[in-house]
Amino acid sequence: MSATDLTDQQSVGDREPVLDVVDRVCELCFGLFMALTFVGAVSAVGAGADAPRKMFFTALGCNLAWGLADAVMYLVRTLVARGRRVTLAHAVRSEPDAAAGVQTLRDAMAEWLKPLIGDTELESIRRRVAARSDVPRRAVFVRDDFVGAAGIFLLVVCATFPVALPFLLIANVATALIVSRVLTVAMLFGSGIALGHYAGFGGWQAGLAMAALGILLTIAIIALGG
């Protein structure tokens, strides 16, 4: 947490943005990798009369499970981060010595930010935090947290649903598996582009790197019997 987190938000209890680019894209990639792995595992069991249906529900179930886990972990992360902010705010407010309060803020800052913010700026932040009367006693969930968790669940499920869809639309398991893997690699390519643009790298290079990672994982799954 940076020192400015306590003053940039409307309240120390506010939740962080749900759709952080890095978190959302990485979680989407994890979901795609999981779906790819589960589909490969089911295909290794052997094809049967109900193989397409079985693989569709396996891939869809994987997406649902990952979306649920992602949503729950978002709630955990939100509560922990909010608790950290509340604890820091109370520590600053209860510290009678201004210099000690400034040091408390500095200790909570990210390492890369410490050389950029001097004690004068931190003292200003300390005074603003100490003057606040709306600091909650402890971190609790608010309604928007559950709305955000539901949004993450839907995002992950909807974004990875194309991995499962070929098994519902294509009767031939081998063909459906190829289409599913191609869609997965294409979505990984798009995710890599998004991460590349966000990080300031070349979008195409990052997209190709992420797609290559997906292809390598696919080859590994096939080599293991998937």
Side-chain angles (χ1 to χ4, degrees):
M1 176 192 304
S2 69
T4 56
D5 286 340
L6 292 174
T7 56
D8 286 346
Q9 299 178 1
Q10 183 178 359
S11 167
V12 293
D14 286 348
R15 62 180 175 87
E16 296 179 352
V18 177
L19 298 178
D20 177 81
V21 174
V22 176
D23 288 342
R24 299 287 73 77
V25 172
C26 287
E27 286 157 2
L28 170 60
C29 291
F30 295 153
L32 289 171
F33 287 140
M34 285 184 63
L36 188 64
T37 304
F38 271 83
V39 167
V42 173
S43 68
V45 173
D50 62 341
R53 179 183 176 87
K54 181 187 296 184
M55 295 183 73
F56 169 76
F57 283 109
T58 297
L60 180 60
C62 173
N63 295 343
L64 292 171
W66 181 257
L68 178 61
D70 201 22
V72 171
M73 291 310 300
Y74 163 76
L75 291 175
V76 172
R77 185 186 66 182
T78 296
L79 190 64
V80 171
R82 182 175 299 149
R84 174 58 180 157
R85 289 196 296 268
V86 170
T87 299
L88 179 58
H90 281 298
V92 172
R93 283 168 52 84
S94 62
E95 181 57 64
D97 181 55
V102 168
Q103 186 60 45
T104 298
L105 287 173
R106 182 169 294 282
D107 290 341
M109 294 169 57
E111 289 297 327
W112 68 269
L113 195 58
K114 290 181 180 180
L116 304 179
I117 298 182
D119 288 348
T120 301
E121 291 86 355
L122 289 177
E123 171 58 20
S124 176
I125 294 173
R126 187 201 66 80
R127 288 197 302 267
R128 293 166 64 183
V129 173
R132 300 193 66 150
S133 60
D134 60 344
V135 179
R137 294 179 57 187
R138 63 180 182 276
V140 296
F141 287 119
V142 297
R143 182 184 61 85
D144 282 351
D145 296 333
F146 298 101
V147 173
I152 289 176
F153 174 80
L154 292 175
L155 172 66
V156 172
V157 172
C158 292
T160 55
F161 185 75
V163 177
L165 194 59
F167 300 104
L168 187 65
L169 301 179
I170 303 174
N172 184 276
V173 175
T175 303
L177 189 58
I178 292 174
V179 173
S180 176
R181 286 169 172 166
V182 169
L183 287 173
T184 300
V185 172
M187 293 179 68
L188 288 172
F189 176 74
S191 299
I193 289 179
L195 285 178
H197 284 309
Y198 182 81
F201 303 144
W204 286 96
Q205 291 89 332
L208 290 173
M210 189 66 73
L213 181 61
I215 292 173
L216 290 175
L217 181 59
T218 301
I219 293 174
I221 292 173
I222 294 174
L224 294 172

